[in-house]
Amino acid sequence: MEHLIIEASKSTPAIHFDPEQHLLSIKGQSYPENSSKFYTPVFAWLKEYLALPYLKNIIIDIEMSYFNSSSSKILMNIFEMLDESAEDGKSVVINWLYQEDDDTSLECGEEFKEDISTNVIFNLVEIPATRFK
Amino acid sequence: MAKNMTTKSLFSFEEDIIRESHEVLSKKDELIPREEYEKLLVRYERLFKQMQRILRISDRFQLELSLSNKDLEQLSTIDSLTKIPNRRHFNQTYEQEWRRAKREGNHLTVGMIDIDYFKKYNDTYGHIEGDNCIERVASTIQNSIQRPADYIARYGGEEFGLILPNTDIDGAVKLAEKIRSNVESLQMAHCLSDKGVVTVSIGISSEIPIQEEALMLELLNRADKALYKAKEEGRNRVEHRCS
């Protein structure tokens, strides 16, 4: 299976999905002109990845300081997909990374955590604030 | 990769539910299968909850953005070196005070304050000392004005703009003289200045606004001309110019 690598732009996050090391990460800001279009390959990749027969553990790191409404809908949809995998008996861990001084990102993480079923482990992970934003 | 893919709808889950609901309802001759419908309802309720969360998240970001907009707006009117209002804010305030004075039939006085031989100061002591000099003069001017409505801004490099609402020329000359003397009293060494210390020249002009914009600019021009006169007459002095 191929890697999915999308470099960050001003309005879109960096997406690094590595199916060999099983490292999935989304990092940055997200307010693309067309969220559905931008995330279409992400959904396609995830669908293929989650269907891998040998896949047992899924871990995804998400660090997003700002995202628009449609991107939060996208995240809900991604979490929905992961939730289905968890229901199928796979172990799913979502790490929501937020910078220590970013209350908004923490609160968003809490909203997502409350929304998702207990089949999924949703961690709120505080990381040091970067000096330059 | 993305080009060959059909875009996945943001609302594919919702669309599924709507489509399936229609299917259920289209079974005309049969009883509506209650169980199927209940399942759809559960799925819909879940999406409804999600949407509420999404709205909360969006509201949160909007609040944050509007707060930082306010901060930026404030920052954009303050001079970063002296922390007093900048020229942009000066212009806004001047327009406001002009209209107010016109409405109330009061005097409006403006002043232009310039640090004497500042270029030479910079060349002699360096830009860091130059910045220090501007800062100290700015705070000295600010401490010299006492009425809440009196206003000082950094107008440009080493130049400050003074707005004194409801003040006639006599009152303004007194205040300007106080500013001039307070700056001189700082005794900041300036070896290329006539007095050996940092001094300022001040030009002021006063008006009871009756006409519109033309006179508004004219009043500033007159203060500027008075400043030039103060420079010509030997600096470290206050000059005023009436119509």
Side-chain angles (χ1 to χ4, degrees):
Chain A
M1 185 176 179
E2 275 180 36
H3 291 227
L4 179 70
I5 294 171
I6 301 172
E7 294 307 334
S9 79
K10 207 179 146 208
S11 59
T12 55
I15 295 180
H16 288 192
F17 285 177
D18 177 344
E20 285 145 25
Q21 305 287 322
H22 300 284
L23 297 173
L24 279 58
S25 114
I26 303 178
K27 184 179 174 179
Q29 305 204 326
S30 180
Y31 48 101
E33 230 172 88
N34 185 340
S35 296
S36 309
K37 197 172 165 196
F38 175 78
Y39 284 100
T40 291
V42 176
F43 280 105
W45 191 95
L46 276 175
K47 195 177 168 193
E48 192 185 337
Y49 179 71
L50 295 175
L52 291 175
Y54 54 84
L55 189 69
K56 294 272 189 302
N57 303 305
I58 300 149
I59 302 176
I60 182 165
D61 289 346
I62 301 175
E63 185 189 339
M64 275 192 174
S65 53
Y66 178 78
F67 44 93
N68 63 7
S69 311
S70 53
S71 299
S72 38
K73 177 68 174 154
I74 295 278
L75 286 172
M76 288 287 191
N77 290 351
I78 290 176
F79 296 154
E80 202 70 38
M81 275 174 93
L82 294 171
D83 197 15
E84 278 170 28
S85 290
E87 256 177 66
D88 289 347
K90 292 181 172 109
S91 143
V92 178
V93 177
I94 300 169
N95 292 317
W96 181 266
L97 284 67
Y98 65 96
Q99 296 194 1
E100 57 191 342
D101 58 351
D102 191 350
D103 295 340
T104 304
S105 181
L106 169 61
E107 279 177 38
C108 294
E110 282 166 350
E111 286 284 355
F112 288 124
K113 185 185 167 97
E114 281 170 31
D115 189 72
I116 211 155
S117 82
T118 48
N119 297 326
V120 173
I121 298 168
F122 195 105
N123 298 316
L124 296 165
V125 184
E126 187 180 291
I127 56 172
T130 49
R131 270 183 66 208
F132 305 105
K133 284 184 181 166
Chain B
M1 184 178 174
K3 276 174 194 157
N4 308 325
M5 267 177 225
T6 43
T7 301
K8 186 183 160 74
S9 164
L10 208 52
F11 298 100
S12 56
F13 291 115
E14 285 83 350
E15 284 157 8
D16 286 349
I17 291 176
I18 291 169
R19 188 177 32 78
E20 288 172 44
S21 302
H22 280 300
E23 280 168 18
V24 169
L25 286 171
S26 67
K27 295 175 182 170
K28 275 187 188 136
D29 302 328
E30 303 163 35
L31 282 172
I32 289 178
R34 192 188 166 88
E35 254 180 56
E36 239 176 274
Y37 212 82
E38 273 170 358
K39 273 185 198 160
L40 283 170
L41 188 60
V42 168
R43 278 163 63 192
Y44 173 71
E45 279 172 346
R46 173 151 174 66
L47 290 169
F48 175 62
K49 233 183 203 161
Q50 276 188 0
M51 196 45 74
Q52 289 174 312
R53 288 188 197 282
I54 288 169
L55 285 187
R56 276 203 293 275
I57 289 171
S58 292
D59 286 353
R60 170 83 212 211
F61 278 123
Q62 261 177 39
L63 178 69
E64 199 180 68
L65 281 179
S66 79
L67 290 179
S68 54
N69 266 343
K70 267 185 206 149
D71 285 350
L72 285 176
E73 211 179 294
Q74 216 181 11
L75 279 176
S76 72
T77 58
I78 289 178
D79 173 60
S80 59
L81 175 68
T82 59
K83 310 288 184 267
I84 65 175
N86 61 16
R87 184 173 185 157
R88 177 209 294 254
H89 195 260
F90 178 91
N91 291 340
Q92 289 169 7
T93 307
Y94 182 49
E95 269 188 56
Q96 274 171 19
E97 292 302 339
W98 178 273
R99 284 199 298 271
R100 193 201 310 273
K102 193 179 160 199
R103 231 173 22 242
E104 295 171 358
N106 285 329
H107 273 95
L108 179 65
T109 298
V110 294
M112 287 292 162
I113 306 171
D114 192 84
I115 303 176
D116 295 325
Y117 299 114
F118 184 72
K119 193 181 175 305
K120 287 182 179 169
Y121 188 92
N122 247 347
D123 293 344
T124 312
Y125 300 98
H127 283 96
I128 294 174
E129 281 307 312
D131 281 356
N132 275 336
C133 173
I134 289 172
E135 256 186 287
R136 289 193 66 188
V137 170
S139 67
T140 303
I141 299 171
Q142 204 169 30
N143 291 333
S144 307
I145 58 177
Q146 268 154 4
R147 294 188 316 174
D150 291 352
Y151 173 92
I152 183 75
R154 187 173 176 201
Y155 198 72
E158 72 274 22
E159 200 169 347
F160 302 91
L162 192 61
I163 300 174
L164 307 171
N166 203 4
T167 308
D168 63 14
I169 198 74
D170 294 337
V173 167
K174 275 187 201 135
L175 178 63
E177 183 53 42
K178 181 173 149 196
I179 291 172
R180 186 209 59 75
S181 127
N182 285 349
V183 172
E184 190 181 342
S185 303
L186 287 174
Q187 293 290 307
M188 288 177 74
H190 186 350
C191 60
L192 294 177
S193 176
D194 304 328
K195 285 230 165 186
V197 293
V198 170
T199 57
V200 291
S201 297
I202 305 177
I204 53 180
S205 187
S206 186
E207 188 66 59
I208 299 178
I210 37 170
Q211 296 166 16
E212 263 318 312
E213 281 72 20
L215 196 58
M216 205 171 112
L217 281 178
E218 172 63 21
L219 181 60
L220 277 183
N221 274 333
R222 285 203 315 246
D224 216 32
K225 280 180 184 148
L227 172 62
Y228 273 100
K229 188 164 179 241
K231 294 279 184 185
E232 279 164 18
E233 299 283 321
R235 296 180 168 84
N236 188 29
R237 69 186 59 227
V238 178
E239 289 289 339
H240 67 274
R241 189 177 173 122
C242 300
S243 51

